[in-house]
């Protein structure tokens, strides 16, 4: 089992990043790949969790150990798989997530893709009261290079990869375009805030 990877970040796509470690490229699924843009072609340390299935071996990556712990707690809930857990983490409102779980706010929890009423209730049942106050985590990476419409397009691709429907995204894309030029990461965060309202 892998704990983390130290290597060169060589590629970013809407659903994952590639870390070159000793000449081997590790494909790592992350919540917000474009948050890593400012670190492209540099050495990075990424915490990982390996999921082995009959048809695939997958690596899921995290900015820090707290984000990894949140992911592990989310996938322990019946009905939440790794993809749904990444979509929940991508919202970067982990404090709000923890509060919603602790306060049985089913309406808030069902706003995440792949989380229906039954799964939201299971989250409350399994996770309420199990988070410490200091476990609220968020991405601290900055994406300074991508700008303009390209950044908005990348953000929309990443959100679709997380499971949000194209019809949902079209509604907020115009609002985001009016915000002016932002980074891909900033567009994603703004989009997630709009969708969580």
């Amino acid at each position: 089992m892998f704990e983390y990877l130290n290597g060169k970040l060589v590629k970013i796509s809407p659903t994952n990043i590639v870390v070159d470690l000793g000449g081997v490229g590790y494909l790592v699924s992350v919540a917000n790949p474009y948050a890593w843009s400012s670190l492209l072609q540099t050495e990075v340390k990424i915490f990982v969790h390996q999921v082995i299935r009959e048809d695939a071996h997958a690596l899921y990556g995290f900015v820090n150990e707290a984000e990894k712990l949140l992911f592990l707690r989310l996938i322990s809930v019946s009905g939440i798989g790794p993809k749904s857990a990444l979509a929940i983490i991508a919202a970067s409102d982990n404090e709000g997530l923890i509060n919603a779980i602790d306060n049985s706010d089913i309406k808030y929890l069902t706003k995440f893709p792949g989380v229906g009423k039954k799964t939201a209730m299971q989250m409350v049942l399994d996770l309420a009261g199990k988070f410490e106050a200091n476990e609220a985590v968020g991405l601290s990476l900055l994406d300074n290079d991508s700008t303009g419409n390209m950044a908005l397009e990348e953000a929309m691709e990443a959100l679709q990869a997380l499971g949000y429907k194209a019809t949902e995204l079209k509604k907020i894309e115009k609002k985001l375009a009016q915000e002016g030029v932002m980074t891909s990461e900033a567009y994603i965060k703004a989009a997630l805030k709009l969708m969580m309202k």
Side-chain angles (χ1 to χ4, degrees):
M1 196 56 95
F2 301 110
E3 178 65 22
Y4 61 83
L5 298 175
N6 268 334
K8 186 176 184 181
L9 178 62
V10 295
K11 184 179 176 186
I12 297 172
S13 71
T15 56
N16 50 53
I17 60 175
V18 176
V19 178
D20 184 308
L21 183 63
V24 178
Y26 289 88
L27 184 69
V28 183
S29 297
V30 293
N32 183 353
Y34 295 111
W36 298 82
S37 293
S38 64
L39 300 174
L40 194 60
Q41 300 304 325
T42 64
E43 292 291 317
V44 296
K45 180 176 184 177
I46 181 168
F47 291 87
V48 295
H49 176 70
Q50 184 179 26
V51 174
I52 300 174
R53 295 211 167 105
E54 191 175 302
D55 60 343
H57 290 232
L59 284 176
Y60 296 90
F62 315 96
V63 174
N64 53 39
E65 288 181 277
E67 190 177 76
K68 180 179 176 178
L69 179 61
L70 177 60
F71 174 85
L72 292 174
R73 288 193 179 179
L74 288 170
I75 63 171
S76 73
V77 175
S78 177
I80 297 182
K83 187 176 176 183
S84 294
L86 283 183
I88 292 168
I89 290 171
S92 291
D93 180 22
N94 297 320
E95 192 173 327
L97 170 66
I98 292 167
N99 287 336
I101 290 170
D102 287 342
N103 297 317
S104 302
D105 188 350
I106 304 300
K107 186 177 178 185
Y108 179 90
L109 296 173
T110 57
K111 291 182 179 181
F112 294 108
V115 178
K117 191 173 181 179
K118 185 178 177 183
T119 302
M121 289 190 298
Q122 192 66 47
M123 287 172 74
V124 170
L125 184 67
D126 291 353
L127 301 176
K130 294 192 177 174
F131 292 99
E132 295 176 24
N134 63 353
E135 285 188 36
V137 294
L139 295 181
S140 58
L141 301 171
L142 298 175
D143 176 2
N144 297 320
D145 302 323
S146 301
T147 57
N149 291 337
M150 185 62 153
L152 182 57
E153 287 175 29
E154 288 174 344
M156 293 298 109
E157 286 177 21
L159 289 164
Q160 262 190 310
L162 288 171
Y164 288 98
K165 294 184 175 90
T167 52
E168 292 176 298
L169 296 175
K170 281 190 178 186
K171 291 177 186 175
I172 60 161
E173 189 171 4
K174 289 179 183 176
K175 290 179 185 175
L176 292 173
Q178 293 170 353
E179 296 282 328
V181 176
M182 293 167 40
T183 64
S184 299
E185 178 186 14
Y187 278 128
I188 291 169
K189 285 183 178 180
L192 291 167
K193 281 181 185 173
L194 285 170
M195 287 189 283
M196 296 308 288
K197 288 182 179 178

